[in-house]
Amino acid sequence: NAKLSVLDASSTASPPLKPVNPPLALTGSGTGDVCLAVLPAPDNRVVTLMAKGQPDQVIIWGTDLDTAASPTKATIPSLGRELRGLVVGSDGKQAYVLDPTAAPPQAQVVDIATKAFKAAAAVSLPAGTAPHALAIVRSTGPDLLAVVDKNNKKLYLISLNPVNVLPPVALDHNPVAAVASPGGQWAYVLEIEGATAIEGVPHWYVV
């Protein structure tokens, strides 16, 4: 199982490990991927997603994560499927994950206050999409989601208010990760073609 350690990033002393000792075991994660995100201030809680192993195990950790040996946590009721990616909205009210096994594939929404998936708010992607990674695009307007389609070499942008899946951007190679610049002007996509390559994609859809 993966383990979660808490480090004091403001300290240069060794070791910077906080009182959470030993690191917290994420039971059920196996050897699968684990995603981390932090809710914006003043909330500052950590959210984790065990993307493989135990299906869609999303956990919202309490504010005592950096002080308690057994911190409080809330586990989101499971959808029973393996999810990918994890990002949080700018207002900290929602988190987003990818559901590639849904028919059609979807971006699922987690309500932080109710600690549950918002099934009615899930955004469907075109049939045949293979969503692999997720990024949040922040600007002066509403958040967007950037979704990379690994198999079909595409980048999708999803408008959340109002909800709309915008026409995809074609990529040269298979994308595996994405991140957006502050202000939302650019999305940077990590593509694989034998060796690793990075391609900057203009964020043409900012309005």
Side-chain angles (χ1 to χ4, degrees), residues 86-151:
L86 171 66
V87 296
V88 297
S90 296
D91 60 7
K93 295 180 179 180
Q94 296 173 136
Y96 305 91
V97 295
L98 294 174
D99 186 356
T101 61
Q106 295 178 325
Q108 295 283 354
V109 182
V110 177
D111 187 295
I112 298 299
T114 62
K115 302 178 178 62
F117 285 101
K118 297 173 64 176
V123 181
S124 294
L125 291 159
T129 302
H132 183 79
L134 179 66
I136 191 85
V137 183
R138 296 183 173 92
S139 67
T140 55
D143 289 344
L144 301 178
L145 296 179
V147 178
V148 296
D149 181 344
K150 183 178 180 181
N151 293 351

Side-chain angles (χ1 to χ4, degrees), residues 8-127:
D8 185 350
S10 66
S11 174
T12 57
S14 180
L17 191 65
K18 281 287 192 175
V20 183
N21 191 16
L24 295 167
L26 300 179
T27 304
S29 60
T31 58
D33 297 333
V34 175
C35 301
L36 296 173
V38 179
L39 296 171
D43 192 312
N44 299 325
R45 286 178 294 171
V46 172
V47 184
T48 58
L49 164 65
M50 290 186 285
K52 293 182 179 179
Q54 183 169 334
D56 69 23
Q57 187 76 23
V58 179
I59 298 174
I60 303 174
W61 297 89
T63 55
D64 57 350
L65 178 61
D66 60 345
T67 58
S70 298
T72 56
K73 63 180 182 180
T75 301
I76 306 300
S78 172
L79 289 177
R81 298 190 292 270
E82 290 189 354
L83 305 180
R84 285 183 174 273
L86 171 66
V87 296
V88 297
S90 296
D91 60 7
K93 295 180 179 180
Q94 296 173 136
Y96 305 91
V97 295
L98 294 174
D99 186 356
T101 61
Q106 295 178 325
Q108 295 283 354
V109 182
V110 177
D111 187 295
I112 298 299
T114 62
K115 302 178 178 62
F117 285 101
K118 297 173 64 176
V123 181
S124 294
L125 291 159

